[in-house]
């Protein structure tokens, strides 16, 4: 496997944090901190900060993403946001199937697949999240589960569209807990995901697909995780709200 064939991508997942004004201030601090990065840099903000983020990041090396998207184009879906609405704002990325959406908002593998397809059809780049719970890890089903999640999420996605798919391996037990997967654990599962992508689309697509690790990645552990051959970047929660920490992770990915 050849890391040079794919883009390293560090994406911040701001979750339900920051008003629009607070987002503007954070972006003002982030822009100089990640300037000239050796990897792609993305911030995924709450819907209410997207307009501000797109405006502020125009002409910089920071891409803007949303944290969720609905799968229908329009209609009676109170409270939802369509892929076309995001594209219209200038948003380029969207996170789909984050474990918090699966856990708290009844997201299933099937709806993750529908959202992935809708987002791709609208022209977005999709960050698809997969990952096991602590119980599932203890039961020894991590690889089977992640394989299944990946396969279902990618159902109906073409090989051409895979150029706009990033997969984020996020063990649920490591998210927001300060308990990071070891670099070996991250490598093992990211490699398993690349293997499934290879089975579905062939070796060329597998080698070109960016696979991130996420779950308590921070300035201190990013280097070791990102040095692993199949870990091509990170989806960063808590540390993405701290410019110096986020910049350190971006620097580690650009090495
Ligand atoms: P964390 O979150 O970095 O705060 O663990 C990662 C994520 O949920 O994407």
């Amino acid at each position: 496997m050849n890391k040079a064939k794919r883009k390293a991508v560090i994406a911040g997942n701001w979750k339900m944090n920051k008003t629009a004004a607070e987002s503007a201030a954070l972006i003002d601090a982030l822009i100089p901190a990640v300037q000239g990065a050796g990897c792609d840099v993305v911030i995924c903000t709450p819907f209410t900060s997207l307009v501000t983020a797109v405006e502020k990041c125009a002409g910089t090396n920071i891409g803007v993403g949303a944290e969720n998207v609905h799968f229908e184009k329009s209609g009676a879906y109170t409270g939802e946001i369509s892929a076309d609405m995001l594209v219209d704002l200038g948003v380029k990325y969207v996170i789909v199937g984050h474990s918090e959406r699966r856990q708290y908002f009844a997201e299933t593998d099937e709806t993750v697949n529908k959202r992935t397809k809708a987002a791709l059809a609208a022209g977005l780049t999709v960050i698809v999240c997969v990952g096991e719970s602590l119980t599932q890890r203890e039961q020894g089903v991590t690889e089977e589960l992640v394989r299944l999640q990946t396969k279902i999420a990618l159902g109906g996605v073409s090989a051409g569209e895979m150029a706009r798919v990033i997969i984020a391996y996020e063990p649920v037990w490591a998210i927001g807990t300060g308990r990071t997967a070891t670099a070996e654990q991250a490598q093992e599962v990211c490699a398993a995901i690349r293997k499934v992508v290879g089975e579905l689309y062939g070796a060329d697509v597998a080698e070109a697909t960016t696979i991130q690790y996420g779950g308590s990645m921070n300035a201190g552990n990013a280097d070791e995780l990102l040095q692993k051959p199949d870990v091509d970047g990170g989806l960063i929660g808590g540390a993405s709200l701290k410019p110096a920490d986020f910049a350190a992770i971006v620097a580690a990915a650009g090495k």
Side-chain angles (χ1 to χ4, degrees):
M1 288 295 166
N2 184 351
K3 262 198 158 176
K5 291 196 177 161
R6 47 194 178 258
K7 280 183 287 191
V9 183
I10 297 295
N13 173 13
W14 289 11
K15 309 195 180 185
M16 195 172 74
N17 293 296
K18 304 293 174 189
T19 63
E22 290 165 351
S23 297
L26 178 52
I27 293 165
D28 282 340
L30 282 174
I31 290 171
V34 302
Q35 216 170 22
C39 66
D40 285 6
V41 181
V42 179
I43 53 170
C44 298
T45 80
F47 289 129
T48 47
S49 290
L50 288 172
V51 170
T52 304
V54 168
E55 269 173 28
K56 285 252 169 212
C57 295
T60 75
N61 63 327
I62 303 178
V64 175
E67 300 174 13
N68 188 28
V69 62
H70 196 257
F71 41 82
E72 295 293 346
K73 281 189 88 62
S74 63
Y77 301 98
T78 302
E80 293 297 321
I81 303 287
S82 75
D84 288 343
M85 292 171 182
L86 296 176
V87 170
D88 177 58
L89 290 187
V91 169
K92 302 278 190 240
Y93 296 81
V94 64
I95 299 171
V96 163
H98 190 279
S99 66
E100 286 151 16
R101 302 251 14 126
R102 295 179 190 251
Q103 195 177 344
Y104 306 132
F105 302 100
E107 193 84 61
T108 64
D109 289 328
E110 283 69 28
T111 55
V112 170
N113 173 241
K114 285 165 103 172
R115 286 175 213 270
T116 301
K117 285 192 291 192
L120 288 170
L124 293 164
T125 293
V126 185
I127 301 174
V128 182
C129 302
V130 297
E132 81 290 1
S133 67
L134 186 57
T135 313
Q136 289 161 338
R137 175 158 283 269
E138 286 168 356
Q139 287 168 335
V141 299
T142 297
E143 194 170 320
E144 281 159 272
L145 185 94
V146 167
R147 280 181 63 88
L148 196 77
Q149 289 175 333
T150 306
K151 273 190 161 175
I152 298 175
L154 298 179
V157 173
S158 71
E161 286 173 322
M162 283 302 290
R164 287 186 288 113
V165 172
I166 294 167
I167 301 173
Y169 166 55
E170 296 210 308
V172 179
W173 48 271
I175 295 176
T177 58
R179 197 177 152 188
T180 319
T182 64
E184 288 68 33
Q185 286 170 327
Q187 164 58 25
E188 195 178 16
V189 184
C190 289
I193 292 169
R194 197 176 311 285
K195 187 158 172 276
V196 188
V197 173
E199 288 163 17
L200 295 171
Y201 299 100
D204 287 353
V205 171
E207 289 205 23
T209 300
T210 297
I211 302 178
Q212 298 173 320
Y213 167 79
S216 299
M217 196 190 269
N218 58 43
N221 59 28
D223 212 24
E224 195 189 351
L225 287 158
L226 292 166
Q227 272 175 26
K228 290 292 174 188
D230 287 290
V231 180
D232 306 318
L235 184 56
I236 321 298
S240 72
L241 299 171
K242 300 176 196 149
D245 293 36
F246 191 64
I249 299 170
V250 165
K255 275 187 191 165

